[in-house]
Amino acid sequence: DSGVTQTPKHLITATGQRVTLRCSPRSGDLSVYWYQQSLDQGLQFLIHYYNGEERAKGNILERFSAQQFPDLHSELNLSSLELGDSALYFCASRETGTATDTQYFGPGTRLTVL
Amino acid sequence: QQQVKQSPQSLIVQKGGISIINCAYENTAFDYFPWYQQFPGKGPALLIAIRPDVSEKKEGRFTISFNKSAKQFSLHIMDSQPGDSATYFCAAELRRALTFGSGTRLQVQP
């Protein structure tokens, strides 16, 4: 168990809908990263937040947005969903200021768009 | 320039054998190279990592070999066990963002 929690575990919705995925980082970790894992695109970095501020963007679509709240949990919002958005979405949190400086991944949310 | 190329796509090894997975990168600004192990239904878990100022790092049965001039790095799993059967991802980090390879599905046969 990495200490990173994600809810829900599974999500089934229809095209055109909007969903929110939630991530709670490990205690004390200020950084949260979001990744998308699909069969055709592999594991892709979406976005990084540090202590409430956006730090880096990867291959994140304009229909997707994220935020990190004062309690450090983060939410990934996916809107106008398309069939191709079906994927596993992982968040990861990171130790800061340590020698290992590792990203710890949560168990993921499996999104199915019908 | 952000790509990390990983091979092979799949690998079958007998129990006790050596598993070798290779990765190559283009961007010389990458400064951290981790390997992740992922079991079905789970998130990736850090296995071992190396920084580019080191040519080799060993942790138990797992070794990373790093060739900075060739821009290549590899994972060696010695004495492979059926419990090692999983998907392995190499990654390269730049400014705290990871770029992943496409993954290698390893199957260790008993």
Side-chain angles (χ1 to χ4, degrees):
Chain A
D1 184 1
S2 66
V4 178
T5 60
Q6 289 186 249
T7 57
K9 192 168 184 178
H10 301 278
L11 198 49
I12 301 174
T13 188
T15 55
Q17 295 298 306
R18 172 189 167 96
V19 297
T20 297
L21 313 183
R22 183 188 169 105
C23 168
S24 293
R26 297 178 341 135
S27 177
D29 286 357
L30 301 179
S31 275
V32 171
Y33 299 77
W34 285 97
Y35 293 87
Q36 181 193 58
Q37 186 174 35
S38 61
L39 281 175
D40 56 343
Q41 296 290 325
L43 255 170
Q44 290 205 84
F45 165 67
L46 296 178
I47 198 163
H48 169 210
Y49 274 83
Y50 177 82
N51 202 19
E53 292 186 8
E54 181 185 304
R55 282 296 178 94
K57 268 186 174 179
N59 298 319
I60 188 165
L61 300 171
E62 285 193 11
R63 299 184 285 109
F64 296 1
S65 65
Q67 52 184 328
Q68 186 179 26
F69 295 86
D71 67 352
L72 301 177
H73 91 271
S74 178
E75 292 180 357
L76 179 67
N77 299 296
L78 315 176
S79 61
S80 302
L81 285 168
E82 302 175 0
L83 295 177
D85 297 328
S86 295
L88 267 168
Y89 291 85
F90 290 103
C91 80
S93 73
R94 188 185 200 116
E95 297 181 282
T96 51
T98 66
T100 53
D101 205 30
T102 297
Q103 288 192 33
Y104 293 89
F105 281 75
T109 293
R110 182 175 292 279
L111 174 65
T112 303
V113 182
L114 300 175
Chain B
Q1 262 209 329
Q2 292 298 97
Q3 274 192 325
V4 177
K5 294 183 180 178
Q6 184 172 345
S7 64
Q9 192 173 11
S10 63
L11 183 59
I12 299 175
V13 172
Q14 295 297 314
K15 179 182 174 182
I18 302 173
S19 304
I20 302 174
I21 305 171
N22 301 299
C23 285
Y25 63 96
E26 287 297 321
N27 191 343
T28 55
F30 286 131
D31 57 6
Y32 181 65
F33 299 87
W35 285 88
Y36 283 83
Q37 179 189 56
Q38 186 178 26
F39 292 103
K42 304 288 186 182
L46 180 72
L47 195 60
I48 187 172
I50 199 167
R51 297 205 180 268
D53 54 346
V54 177
S55 61
E56 185 175 282
K57 183 174 181 180
K58 184 175 181 179
E59 289 183 0
R61 297 185 293 111
F62 302 93
T63 300
I64 299 179
S65 296
F66 189 85
N67 186 329
K68 191 173 181 178
S69 61
K71 293 185 283 187
Q72 294 174 349
F73 58 112
S74 60
L75 175 70
H76 291 64
I77 305 174
M78 311 299 287
D79 187 27
S80 299
Q81 299 297 311
D84 297 331
S85 298
T87 300
Y88 293 80
F89 293 92
C90 64
E93 184 173 87
L94 174 62
R95 290 190 291 273
R96 305 287 183 165
L98 286 171
T99 299
F100 283 88
S102 54
T104 296
R105 183 171 288 187
L106 171 65
Q107 185 180 343
V108 180
Q109 294 186 332

